[in-house]
Amino acid sequence: METPLKVYKGLEGIYVLDSSLSFIDTENGKLYYVGYDVEELVARSNYEEVAYLLLNHKLPTMSEFSAFLGKLRDEMRLGEEELEVVRFVSKRSGGMDALAAYFIMTQKDAVGEVSPMDSAVRAVGKAGSVLGNVIRVQRGDDTLNPDPSLGIAGNLVYLITSEKPQPYQVEFLDDILILHAEHGVPASTFGSVVTASTLSNVYSSIVTGIMTLKGPLHGGAAEAAYQQFLEIGDPDRVESWLERALSERRRIMGFGHRVYKIYDPRAKVVKAMAAKASEIAGGHVKNLYEIALRLEEAALAKLAPKGLFPNLDFWTPMVYTAVGIPPNYFTAVFAVSRIVGWVAHLLEYWKDNRLIRPLHNYVGPPVGQKYVPIEARH
Ligand code: ACO
């Protein structure tokens, strides 16, 4: 008798590529980018430097960094033609769709003479300026010229609020961008690399990444966690809400992770940020934070024995809200950050490209079915 084929559902436990970009230490709950502890990068670096690290696999010298920043800042600007595209893609609601549509409509920026590294840097530079303007247009405001001197985080806050960002807003958002920049091969990065493996271009791979990140089981979890906190409404309702949710076999959004069966190291950092955000912003953010704290405690009692702990998306809603990001754009901010992870992966993958083409196990009707003309079928 033939041994049945083993199908690896969800590709769980399967290694699909070699990468020098990040190491996830699932035993000790640590995350490293190119060997550097992400907690140290959050404390001492900034998103732009981390972007350099991921694209070049080393930290820059002063002169390398200033040349990189110069390029990035040039790319953060949006010309009238690009702003026109932004206005067009913003006609439909949704930051993720608009962001993806922007990269579809500007494909010409990623082909021809443009090297893959240049289009990667271009995408990293443009993304925040595009999203900030998408948010403006979708709420009925005019576009605003980006201010590259504010850096990627500061510029995004500036575009959203039309005001010079407060230091705490820049610091929070910059830290969030660092924490979301890279994480091995989750669904979005894998999708992005699959597209790249066909030798499609950098922008096409980014579009795949954005669309794959969108789902609530992946990047969309922060928006879903926010809605969950709103639905609970009051810290005193946490326990009864949780009991009902679990009895209905609902998932607690922001809990669980395919790779971490212990506390997500990024979530630890964001939890501390959420505490600060709640102090600074008070009101709504404080209420969300108190609900989250109580939900964490109650849910851990039930779910920790199954290896389910908060992931970073459990805590980001409070930080995003304190920064001024509207809740329906949380996932798009994640995408703005993760673009560098996607493009760093594909630049790495292209050094030794192989078309990704897995197999399927056929489980349909016996082959050789007789074709019956439609008039004779019943
Ligand atoms: N709440 C309650 N139970 C859960 C949760 C959750 N959040 N997550 C998993 N479980 C349970 C499942 O019901 C299942 O239980 P069972 O064995 O009794 O049927 C068991 O844990 C295993 O679940 P799987 O779906 O097989 O685990 P998987 O590794 O595929 O799931 C995932 C990972 C998708 C992240 C899951 O934990 C989940 O849906 N979490 C909520 C969404 C979320 O927060 N996603 C963000 C992930 S981080 C990121 O992408 C940036």
Side-chain angles (χ1 to χ4, degrees):
M1 212 175 90
E2 274 181 49
T3 22
L5 284 174
K6 173 139 179 62
V7 172
Y8 294 87
K9 269 194 94 178
L11 294 183
E12 184 164 4
I14 301 295
Y15 290 84
V16 291
L17 45 79
D18 292 319
S19 175
S20 323
L21 295 172
S22 59
F23 176 66
I24 306 174
D25 180 347
T26 51
E27 275 181 27
N28 300 302
K30 300 289 274 178
L31 171 64
Y32 301 86
Y33 294 166
V34 197
Y36 294 93
D37 187 335
V38 78
E39 283 183 50
E40 188 175 7
L41 293 173
V42 166
R44 304 181 62 184
S45 183
N46 54 57
Y47 180 70
E48 285 81 351
E49 191 182 47
V50 167
Y52 184 98
L53 172 68
L54 292 170
L55 292 171
N56 298 282
H57 301 203
K58 69 188 251 316
L59 284 173
T61 61
M62 289 277 250
S63 63
E64 285 166 339
F65 192 47
S66 93
F68 179 70
L69 272 186
K71 273 192 186 175
L72 211 53
R73 286 182 180 162
D74 283 347
E75 297 298 357
M76 285 169 72
R77 295 193 173 84
L78 298 176
E80 190 39 45
E81 198 185 319
E82 288 159 323
L83 286 171
E84 203 41 58
V85 174
V86 169
R87 286 182 206 110
F88 183 78
V89 299
S90 303
K91 282 186 183 154
R92 311 255 157 188
S93 60
M96 293 296 269
D97 300 350
L99 202 55
Y102 176 88
F103 285 108
I104 290 174
M105 288 187 66
T106 53
Q107 288 271 322
K108 66 169 176 38
D109 288 353
V111 294
E113 301 291 290
V114 194
S115 74
M117 177 60 99
D118 283 348
S119 45
V121 174
R122 178 167 291 171
V124 173
K126 297 276 175 232
S129 297
V130 169
L131 178 64
N133 272 297
V134 164
I135 295 175
R136 296 182 64 81
V137 176
Q138 290 187 340
R139 71 175 180 220
D141 287 337
D142 282 341
T143 52
L144 182 64
N145 283 329
D147 182 348
S149 71
L150 297 172
I152 290 184
N155 176 55
L156 182 51
V157 177
Y158 165 66
L159 292 176
I160 294 172
T161 61
S162 314
E163 281 170 18
K164 192 174 177 300
Q166 300 290 323
Y168 79 85
Q169 292 175 300
V170 181
E171 197 184 314
F172 276 153
L173 187 56
D174 195 65
D175 291 352
I176 288 280
L177 294 179
I178 294 176
L179 287 165
H180 284 83
E182 155 61 14
H183 204 226
V185 271
S188 57
T189 307
F190 184 58
S192 194
V193 172
V194 169
T195 300
S197 85
T198 70
L199 299 185
S200 192
N201 64 46
V202 172
Y203 275 24
S204 314
S205 303
I206 290 172
V207 173
T208 307
I210 295 172
M211 293 289 94
T212 314
L213 185 70
K214 193 173 149 181
L217 296 189
H218 190 11
E223 290 182 22
Y226 179 82
Q227 293 305 332
Q228 163 184 277
F229 300 146
L230 285 192
E231 187 187 321
I232 297 170
D234 185 307
D236 286 339
R237 291 184 46 205
V238 160
E239 287 77 13
S240 55
W241 179 91
L242 179 67
E243 202 168 311
R244 203 179 59 246
L246 291 179
S247 72
E248 289 167 357
R249 297 194 63 78
R250 281 174 67 180
R251 291 194 172 206
I252 309 310
M253 300 316 284
F255 252 75
H257 198 278
R258 175 63 65 77
V259 174
Y260 297 113
K261 301 304 170 198
I262 55 173
Y263 213 102
D264 177 341
R266 304 166 301 171
K268 254 191 278 173
V269 180
V270 189
K271 182 179 176 182
M273 288 165 67
K276 275 199 224 161
S278 133
E279 264 173 48
I280 295 172
H284 177 50
V285 177
K286 193 160 189 288
N287 189 44
L288 291 173
Y289 176 66
E290 282 167 3
I291 293 169
L293 262 188
R294 195 134 154 201
L295 180 58
E296 178 192 40
E297 193 188 345
L300 276 177
K302 310 258 184 207
L303 301 177
K306 290 173 84 176
L308 296 166
F309 291 84
N311 56 59
L312 85 170
D313 286 333
F314 191 77
W315 298 109
T316 51
M318 284 62 84
V319 183
Y320 284 137
T321 308
V323 167
I325 315 273
N328 48 331
Y329 295 99
F330 291 174
T331 319
V333 173
F334 185 165
V336 163
S337 160
R338 184 56 64 84
I339 281 175
V340 77
W342 297 329
V343 295
H345 270 279
L346 65 92
L347 293 174
E348 188 181 49
Y349 193 79
W350 275 339
K351 288 192 184 137
D352 186 21
N353 188 64
R354 184 119 204 262
L355 176 74
I356 296 178
R357 202 319 180 180
L359 296 172
H360 74 291
N361 179 30
Y362 178 69
V363 294
V367 296
Q369 298 285 316
K370 193 165 157 17
Y371 181 87
V372 179
I374 194 162
E375 321 76 72
R377 281 178 226 154
H378 41 257

